[in-house]
Amino acid sequence: MALSNLCGVEAAMVIFCPDDEPAFWPSKPAVEQLFRRYEEIPVMERSKKMLNQENFLRERIAKIREQTRKSLKRSLEMEMNDLVYQIVNGNQMYELPISDLTNVMRFLEEKNSEVCKRAQHLHEFPPLSGNGTSSSPSLPPGLISAPEGAAPSGGLDTEGTGTIDKPMSNKWIIDKSLVNNIAGNSG
């Protein structure tokens, strides 16, 4: 009865005892009526929401694997953010293992790529202003490139064209203070 009231559903129960007649809840006619209604539902409709133990466990395992994957990704991202923070704040890069530096480089490449994709999207689909018309794109200056044929400018928009550089793989601009930090502390 509590299940029926709490969930707002019709419920019935048949309890088989080895020595006695089966017990029906709430009553035998109510159980028979509910069972007839169930049998009138097409088989395809009935089986839509049915789960056997195996399928239930497969779904749970897939869900847990996805949650684990997301947690590991968040954990790695937090670790990389921490390493980048340490490097920017003057910790010695030469003391870090090569694997950490490689992971930081890969992390920064991914973030750079994400920023460029977002900037490109904003350039292609500028946000709407309050009156429903598109406003002019306001992209950060470091993500905008010079016009075609112009001398390379490191990705800056020297002519105000609003075109965006494609991410350049394996080319890094290294902060001079980081280079000095490594050079000054390695000798």
Side-chain angles (χ1 to χ4, degrees), residues 77-94:
E77 192 165 306
M78 287 173 27
E79 184 179 336
M80 291 300 107
N81 281 330
D82 185 50
L83 283 173
V84 169
Y85 180 78
Q86 289 178 27
I87 292 168
V88 169
N89 285 314
N91 282 13
Q92 313 308 324
M93 284 177 51
Y94 68 88

Side-chain angles (χ1 to χ4, degrees), residues 136-174:
S136 62
S138 56
L139 300 175
L143 298 174
I144 303 177
S145 66
E148 229 175 280
S153 64
L156 298 177
D157 182 13
T158 57
E159 302 294 320
T161 62
T163 58
I164 298 171
D165 270 343
K166 291 184 177 157
M168 299 186 317
S169 62
N170 299 332
K171 294 200 177 182
W172 289 83
I173 299 172
I174 300 175

